[in-house]
Amino acid sequence: MKVWLVRVPFGDTVLTDQLYEDALLCVDEESRARVRRFYHREDRWRCLIGRILPRILLADRGIQPNAVKISTTSSGKPYIESPVLDPPLSYNVTHDSGYVAMAFESKSGNEGGKIGVDIMKTHIPAGETAASFTAVLSDQLTQPELDYLALHVQDPDALTELLFKYWTMKEAYTKALGIGLGFNFQRVECRMESAHNREGCSVSVDGKPLLGWNFQGFHYVDGSDHYLGMVATASEDRGVVVSWTELSRCEWVEEVRLLDLLERALPVK
């Protein structure tokens, strides 16, 4: 499994109108239409980069743009319909604020295709405190999770980190399943030993221990902003493994400059 992490320099002059138009040529017509539907410039760029990433991944493997067809499942999860690869290549894309990320892996067998990624800036909305924002999300948290969060109410930073760890784990897991919106996050319960732990978490779904999954998380700081990322992948192992690592120590995360990325993109004719 690997992750490409792309920082989108919204405050930089490199994101010109011409660069945007050139990048649009590197996705299919349906993707262009979807990108153009967004009103805000930042949303258009995030969507466009998310659509380009899997095409660059395939181009790096020598596959021509016109041979690529990306479809979606009935629940809306994108997958590579053609070309047919052996072993299959699975991917998932996420974005938040100034970052877009894609997790991908090649895997055969029953566990192939089950990969999900989520990144979030650990930012409490204006007008909310860590405690009040936890209350807003309480209908997506289990009672044991809420009880454990309550132990950290006097430490807003620890409470915020824990809350977003729960959320990114639940999000990455449901995205790996391809379930998407509408899944009740209370069905997924995470147990953690401490707010800042890197390992030592258990996960259950519908009250039963989750088996055969890896949860690999990373965290990083960009200026004054703190981000958490999580990748969930199905595993042939019977247990569940959860880890959190500093980005600088993640050999499986590659930080990719946007301009370098776009130079590798090929036009779709």
Side-chain angles (χ1 to χ4, degrees), residues 24-218:
L24 272 177
L25 298 177
C26 299
V27 295
D28 59 282
E29 189 56 47
E30 186 275 333
S31 293
R32 293 171 199 164
R34 181 175 179 82
V35 169
R36 290 182 175 125
R37 284 200 293 268
F38 287 100
Y39 178 78
H40 295 289
R41 171 176 174 268
E42 290 82 1
D43 292 330
R44 291 196 299 270
W45 266 110
R46 282 188 287 257
C47 180
L48 178 55
I49 294 167
R51 295 283 176 133
I52 287 177
L53 279 168
R55 290 182 171 275
I56 294 176
L57 180 61
L58 292 170
D60 287 351
R61 299 182 178 214
I63 298 170
Q64 294 301 307
N66 293 338
V68 176
K69 182 177 181 181
I70 296 176
S71 299
T72 57
T73 64
S74 58
S75 57
K77 184 177 182 179
Y79 69 96
I80 300 167
E81 181 176 344
S82 63
V84 177
L85 303 174
D86 186 18
L89 177 63
S90 303
Y91 76 95
N92 193 235
V93 174
T94 185
H95 54 74
D96 190 39
S97 300
Y99 284 88
V100 180
M102 178 179 69
F104 57 94
E105 67 176 358
S106 295
K107 182 186 291 185
S108 300
N110 294 332
E111 307 308 334
K114 293 181 180 178
I115 184 168
V117 61
D118 188 49
I119 58 171
M120 294 192 75
K121 183 168 72 172
T122 58
H123 169 70
I124 301 298
E128 299 279 2
T129 64
S132 68
F133 191 52
T134 299
V136 170
L137 300 178
S138 61
D139 62 344
Q140 297 296 313
L141 299 166
T142 67
Q143 192 57 52
E145 289 170 343
L146 289 169
D147 292 343
Y148 192 66
L149 288 166
L151 298 176
H152 301 84
V153 71
Q154 300 302 321
D155 186 346
D157 290 339
L159 177 58
T160 300
E161 181 176 338
L162 253 180
L163 178 63
F164 280 93
K165 280 185 173 181
Y166 283 152
W167 196 267
T168 54
M169 288 181 68
K170 292 167 184 261
E171 188 77 47
Y173 173 69
T174 56
K175 290 181 70 179
L177 294 179
I179 296 174
L181 298 175
F183 186 89
N184 184 359
F185 276 6
Q186 281 189 331
R187 294 176 58 189
V188 182
E189 182 172 288
C190 307
R191 297 289 187 106
M192 297 189 184
E193 293 179 354
S194 70
H196 300 284
N197 74 326
R198 293 185 178 178
E199 295 186 359
C201 174
S202 63
V203 183
S204 59
V205 178
D206 295 331
K208 299 178 181 179
L210 183 65
L211 302 176
W213 283 84
N214 290 333
F215 292 84
Q216 294 171 263
F218 58 96

